[in-house]
Coordinates of all heavy atoms in Angstrom, one line a residue:
P361 N -5.4 18.6 -12.3 CA -6.8 18.2 -12.8 C -7.2 19.2 -13.8 O -7.2 20.4 -13.6 CB -7.6 18.2 -11.5 CG -6.6 18.1 -10.5 CD -5.4 18.8 -10.9
A362 N -7.8 18.8 -14.9 CA -8.1 19.6 -16.1 C -9.5 19.5 -16.6 O -10.1 18.3 -16.7 CB -7.1 19.4 -17.1
F363 N -10.1 20.6 -16.8 CA -11.4 20.7 -17.6 C -11.1 20.9 -19.1 O -10.7 22.1 -19.4 CB -12.2 21.9 -17.1 CG -13.6 22.0 -17.6 CD1 -14.7 21.7 -17.0 CD2 -13.8 22.6 -19.0 CE1 -16.0 21.9 -17.4 CE2 -15.1 22.6 -19.5 CZ -16.3 22.3 -18.7
V364 N -11.1 19.9 -19.9 CA -10.6 19.9 -21.3 C -11.7 20.0 -22.2 O -12.7 19.4 -22.3 CB -9.9 18.5 -21.4 CG1 -9.2 18.5 -22.9 CG2 -8.7 18.4 -20.5
L365 N -11.5 21.0 -23.2 CA -12.4 21.2 -24.3 C -11.9 20.4 -25.5 O -10.9 20.6 -26.0 CB -12.5 22.7 -24.7 CG -12.8 23.6 -23.5 CD1 -12.6 25.0 -23.8 CD2 -14.3 23.4 -23.0
S366 N -12.8 19.3 -25.8 CA -12.3 18.4 -26.9 C -13.2 18.6 -28.2 O -14.2 19.4 -28.3 CB -12.6 17.1 -26.4 OG -14.0 16.8 -26.2
G367 N -12.8 17.8 -29.2 CA -13.6 17.9 -30.5 C -14.7 16.9 -30.4 O -14.8 16.1 -29.5
T368 N -15.5 16.9 -31.4 CA -16.7 16.1 -31.4 C -16.4 14.6 -31.7 O -17.4 13.7 -31.8 CB -17.8 16.7 -32.3 OG1 -17.1 16.8 -33.6 CG2 -18.3 18.0 -31.9
D369 N -15.1 14.3 -32.1 CA -14.7 12.8 -32.2 C -14.8 12.2 -31.0 O -14.7 10.8 -31.0 CB -13.4 12.8 -33.0 CG -12.3 13.5 -32.3 OD1 -12.6 14.5 -31.5 OD2 -11.1 13.2 -32.6
A370 N -14.7 12.8 -29.8 CA -14.6 12.2 -28.4 C -16.1 12.2 -28.0 O -17.0 12.9 -28.4 CB -13.7 12.9 -27.5
P371 N -16.4 11.5 -26.9 CA -17.7 11.5 -26.1 C -17.9 12.9 -25.7 O -17.1 13.7 -25.4 CB -17.4 10.6 -25.0 CG -16.3 9.6 -25.4 CD -15.3 10.5 -26.2
A372 N -19.2 13.2 -25.7 CA -19.7 14.6 -25.3 C -19.1 14.9 -23.9 O -18.7 15.9 -23.6 CB -21.1 14.6 -25.3
F373 N -19.3 14.0 -22.9 CA -18.7 14.1 -21.6 C -17.9 12.8 -21.3 O -18.5 11.8 -21.2 CB -19.9 14.4 -20.6 CG -20.7 15.6 -20.9 CD1 -21.9 15.4 -21.7 CD2 -20.5 16.8 -20.6 CE1 -22.8 16.5 -22.1 CE2 -21.2 17.9 -20.9 CZ -22.4 17.7 -21.6
R374 N -16.7 13.0 -20.8 CA -15.9 11.9 -20.3 C -15.3 12.3 -19.1 O -14.5 13.3 -19.0 CB -14.9 11.6 -21.4 CG -13.8 10.5 -20.8 CD -12.7 10.3 -21.9 NE -13.3 9.2 -22.8 CZ -12.7 9.0 -23.9 NH1 -11.5 9.5 -24.3 NH2 -13.3 8.1 -24.9
L375 N -15.4 11.4 -18.0 CA -15.0 11.7 -16.7 C -13.8 10.8 -16.5 O -13.9 9.6 -16.8 CB -16.0 11.4 -15.6 CG -17.2 12.2 -15.3 CD1 -18.2 12.2 -16.5 CD2 -17.8 11.9 -14.0
T376 N -12.6 11.3 -16.1 CA -11.5 10.5 -15.8 C -11.3 10.4 -14.3 O -11.2 11.5 -13.7 CB -10.2 11.2 -16.5 OG1 -10.4 11.2 -17.9 CG2 -9.0 10.4 -16.1
Y377 N -11.3 9.3 -13.6 CA -11.0 9.2 -12.3 C -9.6 8.7 -12.0 O -9.0 7.9 -12.8 CB -12.1 8.4 -11.7 CG -12.2 7.0 -12.3 CD1 -11.4 5.9 -11.7 CD2 -13.0 6.7 -13.4 CE1 -11.5 4.7 -12.2 CE2 -13.0 5.3 -13.9 CZ -12.3 4.4 -13.3 OH -12.3 3.1 -13.9
A378 N -9.1 9.1 -10.8 CA -7.7 8.7 -10.4 C -7.7 7.1 -10.1 O -8.7 6.6 -9.9 CB -7.3 9.5 -9.2
A379 N -6.4 6.7 -10.2 CA -6.3 5.2 -10.2 C -6.6 4.7 -8.7 O -7.1 3.4 -8.6 CB -4.9 4.9 -10.5
D380 N -6.5 5.5 -7.7 CA -6.9 5.0 -6.4 C -8.3 5.2 -6.1 O -8.7 5.0 -4.8 CB -6.0 5.8 -5.3 CG -6.2 7.2 -5.3 OD1 -6.7 7.8 -6.4 OD2 -5.8 8.0 -4.3
E381 N -9.1 5.6 -7.0 CA -10.5 5.8 -6.7 C -11.2 4.7 -7.2 O -10.9 4.0 -8.2 CB -11.0 7.1 -7.3 CG -10.5 8.4 -6.7 CD -11.1 9.6 -7.4 OE1 -12.3 9.8 -7.1 OE2 -10.5 10.2 -8.3
A382 N -12.5 4.4 -6.7 CA -13.4 3.5 -7.3 C -14.0 4.1 -8.4 O -14.2 5.3 -8.7 CB -14.5 3.1 -6.3
A383 N -14.4 3.2 -9.5 CA -15.0 3.7 -10.7 C -16.3 4.4 -10.3 O -17.1 3.9 -9.6 CB -15.2 2.5 -11.6
P384 N -16.5 5.5 -10.9 CA -17.7 6.3 -10.5 C -19.0 5.7 -11.0 O -18.9 5.1 -12.1 CB -17.4 7.7 -11.2 CG -16.6 7.4 -12.3 CD -15.7 6.2 -11.9
D385 N -20.0 5.9 -10.2 CA -21.4 5.6 -10.8 C -21.7 6.8 -11.6 O -22.0 7.9 -11.2 CB -22.2 5.5 -9.6 CG -23.7 5.2 -10.0 OD1 -24.0 5.2 -11.1 OD2 -24.5 5.0 -9.1
L386 N -21.9 6.6 -12.9 CA -22.1 7.6 -13.9 C -23.5 8.3 -13.6 O -23.5 9.6 -13.8 CB -22.1 7.2 -15.3 CG -20.8 6.6 -15.9 CD1 -20.8 6.2 -17.3 CD2 -19.7 7.8 -15.7
A387 N -24.5 7.6 -13.3 CA -25.7 8.2 -12.9 C -25.6 9.3 -11.8 O -26.1 10.4 -11.8 CB -26.8 7.3 -12.6
S388 N -24.8 8.8 -10.7 CA -24.7 9.6 -9.6 C -23.8 10.9 -9.9 O -24.1 12.0 -9.5 CB -24.1 8.8 -8.3 OG -23.8 9.7 -7.3
E389 N -22.7 10.6 -10.5 CA -21.8 11.6 -10.9 C -22.4 12.7 -11.8 O -22.2 13.9 -11.8 CB -20.5 11.1 -11.5 CG -19.7 10.2 -10.6 CD -19.1 11.0 -9.5 OE1 -19.2 12.2 -9.4 OE2 -18.4 10.4 -8.6
S390 N -23.4 12.2 -12.8 CA -23.9 13.1 -13.7 C -24.9 14.0 -12.9 O -25.0 15.2 -13.2 CB -24.8 12.3 -14.7 OG -24.0 11.6 -15.5
E391 N -25.5 13.5 -11.9 CA -26.3 14.3 -11.0 C -25.5 15.3 -10.2 O -25.9 16.4 -10.1 CB -27.1 13.4 -10.1 CG -28.5 13.9 -9.7 CD -29.3 12.9 -9.0 OE1 -28.7 11.8 -8.6 OE2 -30.5 13.0 -8.7
T392 N -24.3 14.8 -9.8 CA -23.4 15.7 -8.9 C -22.9 16.9 -9.9 O -22.9 18.1 -9.3 CB -22.3 15.0 -8.5 OG1 -22.8 14.0 -7.6 CG2 -21.3 15.9 -7.7
L393 N -22.7 16.6 -11.1 CA -22.1 17.6 -12.1 C -23.2 18.6 -12.6 O -22.9 19.6 -13.3 CB -21.3 17.0 -13.2 CG -20.1 16.2 -12.8 CD1 -19.5 15.5 -14.1 CD2 -19.1 17.1 -12.1
G394 N -24.4 18.3 -12.4 CA -25.6 19.0 -12.9 C -26.0 18.6 -14.2 O -26.6 19.4 -15.0
L395 N -25.6 17.4 -14.8 CA -26.1 16.9 -16.1 C -27.4 16.3 -16.1 O -27.8 16.0 -17.1 CB -25.0 15.9 -16.6 CG -23.6 16.6 -16.8 CD1 -22.6 15.5 -17.3 CD2 -23.6 17.8 -17.9
A396 N -27.9 16.0 -14.9 CA -29.2 15.2 -14.9 C -30.4 15.9 -15.5 O -31.2 15.4 -16.1 CB -29.6 14.9 -13.4
D397 N -30.3 17.3 -15.4 CA -31.4 18.1 -16.0 C -31.0 18.6 -17.3 O -31.8 19.4 -18.0 CB -31.8 19.2 -15.2 CG -32.2 18.7 -13.8 OD1 -33.0 17.6 -13.7 OD2 -32.0 19.5 -12.8
L398 N -29.9 18.1 -17.9 CA -29.4 18.5 -19.3 C -30.2 18.1 -20.3 O -30.7 16.8 -20.4 CB -28.1 18.2 -19.4 CG -27.3 18.7 -20.6 CD1 -27.2 20.2 -20.6 CD2 -26.0 18.0 -20.8
D399 N -30.8 18.9 -21.3 CA -31.6 18.4 -22.4 C -30.7 17.7 -23.4 O -30.2 18.5 -24.4 CB -32.3 19.7 -23.0 CG -33.4 19.1 -24.0 OD1 -33.3 18.0 -24.4 OD2 -34.3 20.0 -24.4
A400 N -30.3 16.5 -23.3 CA -29.4 15.9 -24.2 C -29.9 15.8 -25.6 O -29.1 15.9 -26.6 CB -29.1 14.5 -23.6
A401 N -31.2 15.7 -25.7 CA -31.8 15.5 -27.1 C -31.6 16.8 -27.8 O -31.3 16.8 -29.0 CB -33.3 15.1 -27.0
A402 N -31.8 17.9 -27.2 CA -31.7 19.2 -27.8 C -30.2 19.4 -28.4 O -29.9 19.9 -29.4 CB -32.2 20.4 -27.0
L403 N -29.4 19.1 -27.4 CA -27.9 19.2 -27.8 C -27.5 18.2 -28.9 O -26.7 18.6 -29.7 CB -27.0 18.9 -26.5 CG -27.0 19.9 -25.3 CD1 -26.2 19.3 -24.2 CD2 -26.4 21.2 -25.9

Side-chain angles (χ1 to χ4, degrees):
F363 185 106
V364 179
L365 305 170
S366 65
T368 53
D369 55 335
F373 302 94
R374 171 177 285 170
L375 284 72
T376 301
Y377 56 93
D380 62 342
E381 294 185 78
D385 178 356
L386 289 181
S388 175
E389 297 294 357
S390 296
E391 211 168 12
T392 300
L393 297 177
L395 297 176
D397 298 326
L398 186 66
D399 191 347
L403 289 176

